[in-house]
Amino acid sequence: MTLTSLFVFAAALFVAAGSPGPSIAALVARVLSKGYRDVLPFVAAMWFGEAIWLSFAVAGLAAIAESFQPLFLVIKWIGVAYLLYLAWKMWTAETAVSDDALPESRSAVKMFLTGLTLTLGNPKIMMFYVALLPSIIDLGGVTLAGWAELVVAMLLVLMVVDLLWVLLAAKARQFLKSPKAVGLANRVSAGTMAGAAAVIAAR
């Protein structure tokens, strides 16, 4: 891969990943409601899922992905159902807080599987790698080393974008001290999560 090609790919991915979508909405809502301490498995799964889509595109499996459309449809609806479940949990969560309160812990495996399901079933991410990427890079000429360079570039971009979203959400959460503010944040987060589910379901 030339530096120019990597730069064009990174720039396009930065724009696509930086624009709020279902995955970002779910990530921000999670941090706002429960804090950032246990969110890393979720974020790592988002990166892993995008690496899978990138690998599909580079390997020329875009056409094959079309053949497995029913499988990805199942993944999509599993993601929608789980987002709605999380939205309900946030809406009904307790609002009492204390200065030494810690975010509710979650299984790292469950967080990872949730992030992976959302990423693999996210139409926005699918379209970027399956439809848009071939118009940015000549995938037919990508070697194994070129694939590795694309993966590294992808990870760097996603780390910057996603961790910035986490930081912004964590900073916003610091202002939520009263039960009333926490209740409002929970409902906003629940609405955001439900909205993300609706966006995925509608595509």
Side-chain angles (χ1 to χ4, degrees), residues 23-50:
S23 297
I24 293 298
L27 174 62
V28 171
R30 171 67 193 183
V31 175
L32 281 175
S33 63
K34 298 299 180 183
Y36 66 89
R37 289 175 175 83
D38 64 346
V39 81
L40 184 58
F42 183 89
V43 178
M46 291 169 59
W47 301 340
F48 184 68
E50 295 221 19

Side-chain angles (χ1 to χ4, degrees), residues 37-88:
R37 289 175 175 83
D38 64 346
V39 81
L40 184 58
F42 183 89
V43 178
M46 291 169 59
W47 301 340
F48 184 68
E50 295 221 19
I52 291 176
W53 277 116
L54 173 60
S55 299
F56 272 15
V58 170
L61 296 180
I64 296 179
E66 291 290 331
S67 302
F68 288 96
Q69 193 172 14
L71 172 62
F72 289 110
L73 189 63
V74 171
I75 293 174
K76 165 185 168 179
W77 285 107
I78 289 174
V80 168
Y82 196 73
L83 278 178
L84 292 175
Y85 168 75
L86 291 179
W88 174 76

Side-chain angles (χ1 to χ4, degrees), residues 83-172:
L83 278 178
L84 292 175
Y85 168 75
L86 291 179
W88 174 76
K89 292 286 287 184
M90 288 178 186
W91 190 272
T92 58
E94 293 291 334
T95 58
V97 295
S98 62
D99 291 338
D100 58 351
L102 292 176
E104 178 184 328
S105 62
R106 284 191 59 84
S107 163
V109 173
K110 288 182 180 179
M111 289 292 290
F112 184 89
L113 292 177
T114 301
L116 185 61
T117 300
L118 292 179
T119 303
L120 292 179
N122 188 339
K124 172 187 170 185
I125 296 174
M126 290 183 198
M127 294 308 297
F128 177 81
Y129 289 105
V130 175
L132 183 59
L133 185 61
S135 66
I136 298 173
I137 295 175
D138 178 15
L139 296 176
V142 176
T143 62
L144 182 60
W147 167 81
E149 292 168 351
L150 286 171
V151 170
V152 170
M154 179 208 73
L155 289 175
L156 291 176
V157 170
L158 295 180
M159 284 179 182
V160 170
V161 171
D162 293 339
L163 294 182
L164 181 59
W165 277 110
V166 170
L167 176 63
L168 292 174
K171 288 294 183 182

